C-alpha cells in the first residue's frame, strides 16, 4: 500500500508574487532579451538563422510538454534521485512542473510542484 506524504509549502519568492526569480541571477540575465546582441555588421543573417533555430526547438519542446499531460513521467533529479509522477501542467515560464501521485523514495505525494532546475532528465512513453 502506498503511504501518503504531506506536501511542504515553500515560502514566497523575492518579489512577493511567488514566482521566485531574481533579476540579478545569471539565469535571468542569460534569458533576458538584452543578452542577445542585434547590433553589428553582418550579424543580421546569423541572428535570423539563430532565431529560426530557437523557434523550431521551442515548438518541439512545447509539443513534447503537451504530449506528456496525463502520462507517467520518470524524472531523474540531482543526487541520483529517481521519482515518477503523472504530469499535469507547467507554468508559463516552464520553471515548474505540476504533477500528481509523485512516487518518491520516502512515499507518495498526492500533488507536487517540481522545480525544473532540480531536474536533470525526464522520460515518458507515448
Amino acid at each position: 500500500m502506498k503511504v501518503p506524504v504531506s506536501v511542504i509549502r515553500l515560502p514566497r519568492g523575492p518579489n512577493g508574487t511567488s514566482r521566485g526569480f531574481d533579476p540579478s541571477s545569471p539565469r535571468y540575465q542569460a534569458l533576458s532579451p538584452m543578452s542577445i546582441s542585434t547590433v553589428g555588421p553582418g550579424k543580421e543573417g546569423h541572428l535570423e538563422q539563430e532565431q529560426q533555430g530557437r523557434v523550431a526547438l521551442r515548438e518541439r519542446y512545447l509539443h513534447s510538454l503537451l504530449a506528456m499531460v496525463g502520462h507517467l513521467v520518470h524524472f531523474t533529479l540531482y543526487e541520483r534521485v529517481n521519482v515518477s509522477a503523472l504530469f499535469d501542467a507547467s507554468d508559463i515560464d516552464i520553471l515548474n512542473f505540476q504533477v500528481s501521485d509523485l512516487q518518491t523514495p520516502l512515499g507518495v505525494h498526492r500533488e507536487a510542484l517540481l522545480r525544473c532546475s532540480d531536474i536533470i532528465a525526464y522520460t515518458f512513453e507515448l
Side-chain angles (χ1 to χ4, degrees):
M1 180 174 158
K2 298 178 182 177
V3 179
V5 179
S6 62
V7 175
I8 299 173
R9 299 289 178 203
L10 299 175
R12 290 193 171 274
N15 62 353
T17 61
S18 181
R19 293 188 62 175
F21 69 88
D22 179 13
S24 62
S25 71
R27 178 185 171 127
Y28 181 82
Q29 296 294 326
L31 296 175
S32 72
M34 300 304 286
S35 66
I36 301 173
S37 174
T38 59
V39 180
K43 288 193 176 183
E44 292 81 15
H46 176 68
L47 181 62
E48 181 68 27
Q49 183 180 12
E50 182 178 342
Q51 287 177 342
Q52 291 301 321
R54 287 181 184 217
V55 166
L57 289 173
R58 176 86 171 164
E59 284 180 0
R60 289 176 63 186
Y61 182 65
L62 292 175
H63 284 294
S64 73
L65 287 179
L66 284 173
M68 285 189 341
V69 174
H71 286 85
L72 182 66
V73 181
H74 303 281
F75 296 94
T76 302
L77 309 175
Y78 286 99
E79 301 296 328
R80 297 184 197 163
V81 176
N82 294 308
V83 297
S84 299
L86 292 175
F87 183 83
D88 291 327
S90 172
D91 61 357
I92 195 164
D93 298 324
I94 311 175
L95 297 176
N96 301 299
F97 289 159
Q98 195 274 324
V99 297
S100 57
D101 297 328
L102 178 66
Q103 300 171 10
T104 70
L106 297 176
V108 178
H109 294 273
R110 186 170 169 209
E111 299 289 329
L113 193 65
L114 297 176
R115 297 182 302 187
C116 290
S117 59
D118 294 336
I119 299 171
I120 296 174
Y122 59 86
T123 60
F124 67 100
E125 293 185 24
L126 294 174

